[in-house]
Amino acid sequence: MTDKPLRPQPRFPEQDTEPFWEATKRRELIYQTCDDCEDEVVFYPRAHCTSCISSNISWNVSKGEGEVYTFSVVMQNRHPAFKDLGPYALAYVDLDEGFRMMTNIVGVENPIEDIQCGMRVKLTWIDQGEGNIALPVFEPA
């Protein structure tokens, strides 16, 4: 178990997103597609398609590759789980499968200078302790 405070965790049961969080324990980034409107991508997880409102949706595993759409560098955060991170990047990443997610960019020395919009990134994980979810984050590809 880690000595660092855990980042805020989802509260279960949570009918729409629980399969997503369970998949993170296996280090799988999953997303949904609609079976009724030609594989419309649905993300964040929901009980229905955002295009046609159908509940006929399927889960898929992402390759975890994409590019930075936009980002911001947080200089300080007083929450116990974030206060010792120093500057860190909060970003929207466009995944190659067609969905956008909010995440962190890690694995850079200086997030102010080392991240650019359009930069290719790949999935990595931050463990949240034994048996807990893992957080999907991205690093330079």
Side-chain angles (χ1 to χ4, degrees):
M1 193 105 182
T2 179
D3 291 338
K4 294 180 181 179
L6 294 179
R7 293 190 184 189
Q9 304 289 300
R11 293 188 180 129
F12 299 120
E14 207 307 304
Q15 112 182 12
D16 292 344
T17 66
E18 194 162 356
F20 174 86
W21 293 114
E22 287 296 320
T24 70
K25 293 178 181 180
R26 302 184 304 272
R27 293 179 177 253
E28 290 180 340
L29 177 60
I30 62 174
Y31 65 99
Q32 297 166 301
T33 52
C34 178
D35 298 331
D36 290 338
C37 60
E38 301 181 25
D39 296 323
E40 177 79 19
V41 175
V42 179
F43 191 87
Y44 59 88
R46 297 180 176 101
H48 63 278
C49 174
T50 54
S51 180
C52 72
I53 314 300
S54 169
S55 61
N56 190 17
I57 50 181
S58 299
W59 289 99
N60 308 274
V61 177
S62 171
K63 293 185 302 182
E65 299 172 355
E67 66 180 43
V68 174
Y69 172 73
T70 192
F71 71 100
S72 180
V73 177
V74 179
M75 299 304 287
Q76 64 179 345
N77 186 330
R78 288 179 172 60
H79 187 284
F82 299 94
K83 70 179 181 66
D84 294 331
L85 287 180
Y88 64 92
L90 182 64
Y92 278 112
V93 170
D94 287 338
L95 279 293
D96 291 348
E97 290 86 2
F99 65 97
R100 178 176 291 159
M101 71 179 289
M102 184 181 286
T103 185
N104 291 121
I105 306 297
V106 299
V108 294
E109 189 171 318
N110 181 343
I112 296 169
E113 296 177 359
D114 298 342
I115 301 171
Q116 296 85 36
C117 293
M119 181 174 100
R120 293 291 298 170
V121 291
K122 62 183 179 179
L123 179 64
T124 189
W125 298 91
I126 295 177
D127 288 321
Q128 293 294 285
E130 186 80 24
N132 287 318
I133 65 170
L135 297 176
V137 296
F138 289 80
E139 63 187 3

